[in-house]
Amino acid sequence: MDRTRIKDNVSRILASLPHGVTLVAAGKTRSVDELKAAVDAGVSIIGHNYVQEAQTSIDAMGNMVRWHFIGHLQRNKAKKAVELFDMIETVDSARLAEALDKAAQQSVKVQDVLIEVNSGKEPNKAGVMPEDTQELAHHMLSLKNIRLLGLMTMGPWSDDAESMRPYFRLTREIFKSLVKDARTKDAMRYLSMGMSDSYKVAIEEGANLVRIGTALFGPR
Ligand SMILES: *Cc1c(COP(=O)(O)O)cnc(C)c1O
């Protein structure tokens, strides 16, 4: 999509977001020129799903913007991910958390992370099961080189945003229960939910990070 349309889309969506809600531009498959147009219009965070693709963007754009990892992370990419990303939104197991902790220690960095919740309890989908979220959060808080800052969910995809509402609501309920837990409450700052078709519903359900690609850059 050309720069002007991307900038218009970014401006319109940024203006429509309530105070306190931050836009993450989902950058997969987009060119550096497209991503730069979004940053010129006010995007401050770009999300990437693949380490290799992110490397290309980061080489070209560096720290003009912050970088979030929003894809499924394999443990053997933990080191690279820690090198590249300001936040990793998709931690869903103790083993991955431990791999990130170790990589962060080697990089002399404290890695910001979110827990991805499998709010639809879908088999073969990423994310920790809702009922296991608290235990994973406690374990992550014992790891000194990662800093837990909240929760992320995808929810079972549907083109009808209303049918995603229960999954956003469930994730919000888990978030709230972790706010009530003295051990986890300070770690509950971000709730990352909602994509192009669903971000308005997600914000109604408490999202303060929304991950939007198509509505900014057009169809992939
Ligand atoms: C691609 C992607 C998005 C954005 O999806 P759109 O429908 O293009 O807005 C959000 N979150 C994740 C994890 C994604 O992979």
Side-chain angles (χ1 to χ4, degrees):
M1 192 181 268
D2 67 66
R3 286 181 56 86
T4 311
R5 282 182 61 196
I6 293 170
K7 289 170 86 169
D8 286 350
N9 291 339
V10 170
S11 302
R12 192 184 63 255
I13 288 178
L14 281 178
S16 78
L17 296 179
H19 184 74
V21 177
T22 301
L23 171 64
V24 177
K28 58 177 176 283
T29 77
R30 313 303 180 175
S31 69
V32 167
D33 280 344
E34 290 174 299
L35 299 180
K36 279 186 174 163
V39 172
D40 287 347
V43 160
S44 61
I45 304 174
I46 295 175
H48 262 304
N49 295 62
Y50 303 103
V51 170
Q52 195 50 53
E53 193 183 20
Q55 176 89 65
T56 306
S57 305
I58 294 171
D59 285 348
M61 298 169 68
N63 58 12
M64 67 192 287
V65 66
R66 293 194 297 141
W67 303 93
H68 283 202
F69 187 80
I70 61 173
H72 179 62
L73 186 59
Q74 278 155 354
R75 271 180 292 131
N76 63 7
K77 300 270 172 64
K79 190 165 188 294
K80 197 78 206 159
V82 165
E83 283 169 22
L84 292 176
F85 291 97
D86 298 292
M87 181 183 279
I88 295 170
E89 295 199 14
T90 52
V91 179
D92 62 358
S93 72
R95 290 176 79 195
L96 177 58
E98 286 158 11
L100 290 169
D101 180 63
K102 193 171 155 206
Q105 183 175 36
Q106 286 168 354
S107 297
V108 197
K109 175 184 182 185
V110 175
Q111 177 65 54
D112 288 348
V113 297
L114 305 182
I115 292 176
E116 180 176 2
V117 179
N118 184 351
S119 55
K121 296 190 167 211
E122 296 173 280
N124 312 317
K125 273 280 187 73
V128 66
M129 287 297 159
E131 61 273 22
D132 298 332
T133 307
Q134 185 177 34
E135 186 185 343
L136 178 59
H138 286 168
H139 181 60
M140 287 167 68
L141 289 169
S142 75
L143 303 172
K144 296 302 170 212
N145 307 289
I146 59 175
R147 181 167 70 148
L148 178 62
L149 288 176
L151 306 180
M152 176 272 206
T153 200
M154 298 277 287
W157 189 84
S158 163
D159 58 4
D160 169 26
E162 274 307 322
S163 68
M164 301 188 72
R165 187 184 294 276
Y167 306 103
F168 296 147
R169 187 165 292 179
L170 172 66
T171 309
R172 163 72 160 172
E173 288 303 321
I174 297 166
F175 187 92
K176 277 164 52 182
S177 75
L178 295 180
V179 169
K180 288 199 188 108
D181 174 345
R183 286 164 72 183
T184 48
K185 80 174 188 346
D186 291 338
M188 291 300 114
R189 300 231 298 254
Y190 296 109
L191 186 53
S192 175
M193 316 193 288
M195 317 193 341
S196 292
D197 291 334
S198 59
Y199 73 92
K200 289 175 186 152
V201 169
I203 290 169
E204 288 169 7
E205 297 301 332
N208 60 13
L209 278 181
V210 290
R211 310 176 309 270
I212 301 180
T214 307
L216 305 179
F217 301 110
R220 281 183 290 274

